[in-house]
Amino acid sequence: MQHPLTHVRGFNRTLCATAVAIACFSTSFASAQEQSLVEEGSKLERIEVTARKTTESLQEVPVAITSIGAGELTEKGISVLTEVQQFSPNTTLQTSRGTNSTLTAFIRGVGQQDPLWGYEPGVGIYIDDVYMARPQGAVLDLLDVQRIEVLRGPQGTLYGKNTIGGAVKYVTKEMSGDPQFTAQATLGSYNQQDVKVTGQYPVIEDVVYMGFGYANLSRDGFGTYLQSALPDQDRENYNKDLWAARLTLEVHATDDLFFRFGWDKTEDDSNAKGGYRLLPSLLVDAPVPDSKFDSYTSLPTWNKVELEGYNWLAQYNVNDALELKYIGSHRESYSPTNIDFDNTSLDIFDVPAEYKDENDTHELQANFSGNDFSVVSGVYYYDGESCGNFDAILGFLGRAAFSTPGLTREVSGCNNSESWAVYSQVNYDITEQLSVSVGARYTDEEKSATVNNGLVFYNLYPYSGWFDGYERPAGELVPQVLGRDANGDDVLDSPAVESWSRFTPRVGVEYQMNRDMMFFASYSQGFKSGTFNPRASGPEPGVKPEVVDSFELGMKSDLTDSLRLNATLFSYVHKDRQYIGVEGDSDDPTALQQRLRNAAETEGQGIEIEMTYVATDNLQFDVAYGYIDFDIVKNDAIPPLIGLASTPENTFNFAANYLLDTSWGSFIFNANYYYRDGYLLFETSDLIQQDAYGMVNASVSWESVHGNWFGGLHLKNITDEEYLVGGYDFVTPDPDTGELGPGLGGDTTLIGYYGDPRTVHITVGYRF
């Protein structure tokens, strides 16, 4: 794998040359075609998005954005959010290690890998403009979805904190008011059995509509737990056992007044995911398995992710120019999980954990449209509590070193946030072709945190009944180590409290050269919240927010009635990056000090190109390409940074779609080839890295002449590529030979988690 810093200087010249070439080509081509486009119209689809919180054409929005609609999702058999990464340049959406539902998201190399409570994501996930604050449960199964929008680059003005990499928006279908019902069933590889039911019904004609959706999704494991210290438990690995439900009530009180109330719940009982040992164990008979999806464990294999949320919307059109909107939500989640870091039948590095989250959001928005300008503005409030606990069980090490029944480092605590923000963005037309956009957001946030951290000289599990025989003695707790009183003095019975505020601007210029071509340039800033170290072993201050300053130069163009080309050049500086440094004697687990600091600064630049070519009325080709390069400006992280995590230098997707109309109905054939360059799993280690790989997918979908019956056959990862999406590296390289020896836990813990293997599934459905 080539070092990520190679060719940094040469890239700047390449970037400029590419920008000039695109501009020259587009200008001359569009001028020759302008008149014919007006006369002939366009074969290209008009795609509507809400990236700027108003409905606009994709080609009119000066933002790097990918939108995938409901039809395309169905045709390609895309059923889970992580598959969307293939169609958005410089985007990583992958399932985190240990569970099926926790999301690892990076856009343009910016994100957050560690899902521990207290850490904030770098990519915001939104469901109907409601923010999902935690990565647990963010790997959404797509139910009753209208489209998925991926906004790349900082979205700090309209979307606020924790969108320094970008935002992913999940937009559900609006109701038409007509009675509708759709049922579909799916059978596939590994005994996949899915059922989805959606529909709507007018409770009061033209006034009140009720919508519903339910999904039950199950699949056997891709692999097996080959050894287990516990008898009579489910040994499937990478299985799926999930249900999700949604209810929506819409009230069209008048032509200008609209209300929507929603409820959704997801319960994922899939097993905990066991990792693949990349090295054989030194302590027990646990060789490298034959299958990347086989593992060993000393923990229970059960796992759970529970999500539930309520949301509500009130929208009032005061007049043709002014719209008022209120969006509110309440969300809760609970996730007890079993993660065996070492993946052996020994209790040498087991980490059972619990995550609990609860948050409320309120947003009041005003949208005004005048003759030459428009304004989007609002006030936003967020109140969230994020708590958890984990037990790092080093039982074998404890018995060997301390002559005790075991050894556990327990960490627990809460990291709570209360913030408010006010924002506004103005788009002003200077002339018919030239416009400017100016926006800003002011955010004020206060966080409080407690951390309990200590050693227990036996094997401890998070709560009574987790694991028979290993329960906490009554009244015994590890000490609180992080807390502070109002005078800033360290105490052991109060939370640490700090506050931050941030002004995040955006300035843009757009030039509409003709009706089919727009150029834009922008500067925007975003930030990821300051926070406290959830693994603190003693008093330490909170860290400042991370900040990204980003510059973009882009083009949106329909070069002909059948060729669309959108391109964005970007450059950013990522400052005050938050990293935990491990300080102390790595051979003594009782001496480790994990301190969170603003320890690094990086710079990145790249290009993103998306092209659609409608070759005939029946044949369409799509291309998405992303390139990113970066430099490390400041590197005080311990250990030091060596690259970007989960961020390949090049991403590429080529897709073809063919429509065939017959007397039996319409058939749509589509296939795509997706390529990712090699990438690191961790920014501070190259012990686990994924080589470049390509993936091939193919589908054929069908709809009957009358449109009531439909179906599809979908083949995913046809060449059965094996690719890493997560891992753990607790080993000690020999400084002379480089040979990997035991690390924390006393074993060679070098573990990989993999993406889905080759699968085939068939879907049949009926709608009326």
Side-chain angles (χ1 to χ4, degrees):
M1 178 177 174
Q2 191 176 39
H3 195 281
L5 298 183
T6 304
H7 303 314
V8 170
R9 295 180 181 175
F11 171 71
N12 292 326
R13 293 192 294 271
T14 303
L15 200 62
C16 294
T18 303
V20 173
I22 290 174
C24 293
F25 169 76
S26 303
T27 302
S28 60
F29 206 101
S31 298
Q33 294 292 324
E34 182 175 5
Q35 184 63 34
S36 63
L37 287 178
V38 172
E39 294 173 354
E40 296 176 10
S42 177
K43 299 177 183 177
L44 295 164
E45 177 188 5
R46 175 184 169 89
I47 301 173
E48 292 189 339
V49 296
T50 54
R52 296 196 292 182
K53 298 199 172 184
T54 58
T55 302
E56 301 172 281
S57 166
L58 175 72
Q59 296 303 96
E60 299 172 352
V61 179
V63 175
I65 177 174
T66 297
S67 178
I68 305 178
E72 187 176 357
L73 293 169
T74 300
E75 292 165 11
K76 291 179 167 62
I78 297 175
S79 59
V80 67
L81 185 64
T82 50
E83 294 184 71
V84 172
Q85 77 166 10
Q86 300 179 38
F87 306 96
S88 177
N90 289 326
T91 299
T92 294
L93 301 172
Q94 294 177 335
T95 305
S96 296
R97 54 194 183 240
T99 78
N100 285 325
S101 300
T102 302
L103 182 68
T104 296
F106 286 84
I107 296 179
R108 296 179 178 174
V110 181
Q112 173 63 42
Q113 188 173 60
D114 196 333
L116 199 64
W117 70 89
Y119 290 139
E120 304 286 357
V123 175
I125 307 297
Y126 293 82
I127 303 177
D128 290 333
D129 287 327
V130 173
Y131 176 55
M132 287 193 66
R134 302 297 304 142
Q136 283 81 20
V139 179
L140 301 167
D141 287 273
L142 306 184
L143 176 64
D144 210 23
V145 64
Q146 180 66 35
R147 65 182 178 273
I148 304 292
E149 298 177 8
V150 181
L151 287 64
R152 297 184 294 277
Q155 307 296 321
T157 300
L158 294 180
Y159 293 89
K161 64 177 185 174
N162 303 336
T163 58
I164 54 176
V168 179
K169 295 184 62 177
Y170 180 112
V171 182
T172 59
K173 291 181 179 178
E174 295 183 2
M175 285 188 260
S176 65
D178 299 321
Q180 294 180 7
F181 179 81
T182 301
Q184 66 182 64
T186 299
L187 298 176
S189 304
Y190 301 95
N191 197 29
Q192 178 183 357
Q193 300 180 41
D194 298 345
V195 175
K196 293 183 180 180
V197 177
T198 60
Q200 59 176 286
Y201 189 79
V203 180
I204 301 176
E205 188 174 0
D206 297 329
V207 179
V208 180
Y209 311 148
M210 174 68 75
F212 61 89
Y214 175 79
N216 192 299
L217 314 174
S218 65
R219 185 198 65 229
D220 293 344
F222 298 144
T224 304
Y225 285 100
L226 301 174
Q227 295 176 5
S228 172
L230 300 174
D232 303 325
Q233 66 171 334
D234 188 350
R235 292 198 178 188
E236 290 187 78
N237 195 19
Y238 288 81
N239 72 327
K240 190 167 190 175
D241 182 7
L242 177 149
W243 67 266
R246 177 186 297 272
L247 288 175
T248 305
L249 180 69
E250 291 185 358
V251 180
H252 299 257
T254 69
D255 290 341
D256 298 317
L257 184 60
F258 171 75
F259 299 96
R260 183 178 67 206
F261 306 91
W263 166 85
D264 66 271
K265 185 171 184 177
T266 299
E267 185 168 312
D268 186 353
D269 292 315
S270 310
N271 287 348
K273 282 199 306 190
Y276 174 78
R277 286 197 63 90
L278 296 163
L279 295 173
S281 171
L282 301 177
L283 303 177
V284 70
D285 182 21
V288 175
D290 293 332
S291 168
K292 294 293 192 295
F293 302 102
D294 286 347
S295 188
Y296 315 95
T297 188
S298 58
L299 279 171
T301 59
W302 63 262
N303 195 72
K304 183 180 288 291
V305 177
E306 293 180 337
L307 303 171
E308 187 169 15
Y310 302 86
N311 62 85
W312 47 93
L313 165 72
Q315 181 175 313
Y316 178 52
N317 297 320
V318 180
N319 51 49
D320 291 341
L322 179 62
E323 175 193 75
L324 299 179
K325 186 184 297 184
Y326 165 63
I327 304 169
S329 73
H330 173 81
R331 298 199 66 84
E332 298 180 6
S333 69
Y334 174 59
S335 305
T337 186
N338 289 293
I339 305 177
D340 191 330
F341 276 41
D342 62 284
N343 291 273
T344 71
S345 58
L346 296 177
D347 54 353
I348 57 176
F349 202 167
D350 296 349
V351 187
E354 285 183 289
Y355 302 91
K356 298 179 181 179
D357 295 280
E358 183 174 345
N359 65 75
D360 296 276
T361 65
H362 303 275
E363 182 172 5
L364 182 61
Q365 189 180 120
N367 301 325
F368 182 83
S369 179
N371 291 330
D372 299 321
F373 70 97
S374 62
V375 182
V376 176
S377 58
V379 179
Y380 179 81
Y381 176 77
Y382 172 87
D383 185 14
E385 179 180 71
S386 179
C387 300
N389 58 287
F390 70 85
D391 292 308
I393 299 167
L394 308 169
F396 184 86
L397 176 62
R399 289 188 290 272
F402 301 99
S403 299
T404 68
L407 176 67
T408 302
R409 176 174 286 278
E410 183 175 72
V411 180
S412 63
C414 291
N415 203 309
N416 303 328
S417 172
E418 183 176 7
S419 68
W420 62 269
V422 57
Y423 65 88
S424 183
Q425 182 162 302
V426 179
N427 305 308
Y428 178 68
D429 297 330
I430 299 174
T431 69
E432 290 184 356
Q433 293 178 295
L434 182 64
S435 62
V436 296
S437 58
V438 179
R441 189 183 190 104
Y442 178 81
T443 304
D444 186 271
E445 180 172 29
E446 181 177 278
K447 277 197 172 184
S448 63
T450 58
V451 176
N452 296 69
N453 192 331
L455 289 172
V456 178
F457 291 93
Y458 53 86
N459 287 3
L460 178 64
Y461 284 77
Y463 64 80
S464 175
W466 190 289
F467 192 2
D468 292 341
Y470 295 82
E471 299 179 3
R472 179 196 301 280
E476 183 175 332
L477 295 171
V478 297
Q480 181 176 330
V481 297
L482 180 66
R484 191 162 295 175
D485 63 15
N487 297 320
D489 300 322
D490 296 328
V491 294
L492 297 180
D493 57 358
S494 300
V497 179
E498 288 197 28
S499 60
W500 301 272
S501 61
R502 190 78 199 180
F503 177 82
T504 50
R506 184 187 188 278
V507 180
V509 179
E510 300 89 40
Y511 179 69
Q512 193 76 38
M513 193 176 72
N514 54 54
R515 75 165 197 174
D516 298 308
M517 178 169 293
M518 177 187 71
F519 293 95
F520 65 91
S522 67
Y523 161 76
S524 60
Q525 187 181 87
F527 79 97
K528 188 171 80 171
S529 292
T531 192
F532 292 94
N533 182 5
R535 295 188 179 90
S537 53
E540 62 177 89
V543 292
K544 297 185 297 182
E546 296 185 7
V547 177
V548 169
D549 292 289
S550 176
F551 298 86
E552 292 187 358
L553 176 64
M555 176 191 72
K556 300 285 183 78
S557 67
D558 290 347
L559 299 178
T560 73
D561 62 344
S562 57
L563 179 60
R564 173 171 292 163
L565 178 63
N566 296 339
T568 305
L569 305 175
F570 65 87
S571 176
Y572 68 82
V573 178
H574 188 180
K575 296 178 287 189
D576 292 322
R577 299 187 63 172
Q578 303 162 1
Y579 282 97
I580 277 190
V582 180
E583 304 170 2
D585 184 359
S586 61
D587 294 329
D588 180 2
T590 66
L592 294 178
Q593 303 288 322
Q594 295 187 326
R595 190 175 182 87
L596 185 63
R597 299 180 297 162
N598 296 107
E601 179 178 327
T602 57
E603 296 178 351
Q605 52 270 313
I607 185 169
E608 294 159 351
I609 298 174
E610 295 177 279
M611 184 178 72
T612 296
Y613 175 55
V614 183
T616 69
D617 291 339
N618 300 83
L619 180 62
Q620 177 176 310
F621 299 100
D622 293 278
V623 173
Y625 171 71
Y627 175 84
I628 186 170
D629 204 346
F630 84 105
D631 192 13
I632 300 174
V633 178
K634 176 184 176 182
N635 198 355
D636 294 333
I638 304 173
L641 305 187
I642 62 172
L644 294 179
S646 301
T647 302
E649 187 176 52
N650 292 278
T651 59
F652 173 78
N653 188 70
F654 175 77
N657 182 290
Y658 182 75
L659 170 65
L660 176 65
D661 287 319
T662 73
S663 59
W664 294 88
S666 298
F667 292 85
I668 298 178
F669 300 85
N670 65 70
N672 77 290
Y673 172 75
Y674 176 58
Y675 171 84
R676 286 170 71 89
D677 262 348
Y679 53 88
L680 300 172
L681 266 293
F682 302 102
E683 295 185 318
T684 58
S685 171
D686 60 0
L687 295 177
I688 305 180
Q689 52 186 305
Q690 173 61 48
D691 293 333
Y693 70 92
M695 181 187 299
V696 178
N697 307 295
S699 297
V700 55
S701 58
W702 165 78
E703 186 174 280
S704 66
V705 174
H706 299 292
N708 51 342
W709 286 98
F710 63 95
L713 175 65
H714 308 284
L715 293 79
K716 303 294 183 69
N717 192 7
I718 293 174
T719 57
D720 204 19
E721 293 293 324
E722 296 176 342
Y723 56 97
L724 287 158
V725 297
Y728 294 109
D729 57 347
F730 292 92
V731 290
T732 305
D734 186 287
D736 297 322
T737 66
E739 184 177 347
L740 300 179
L744 187 60
D747 202 356
T748 48
T749 298
L750 194 65
I751 307 300
Y753 294 87
Y754 288 81
D756 290 3
R758 176 174 53 236
T759 59
V760 179
H761 67 265
I762 185 170
T763 296
V764 177
Y766 182 78
R767 65 172 72 96
F768 62 85

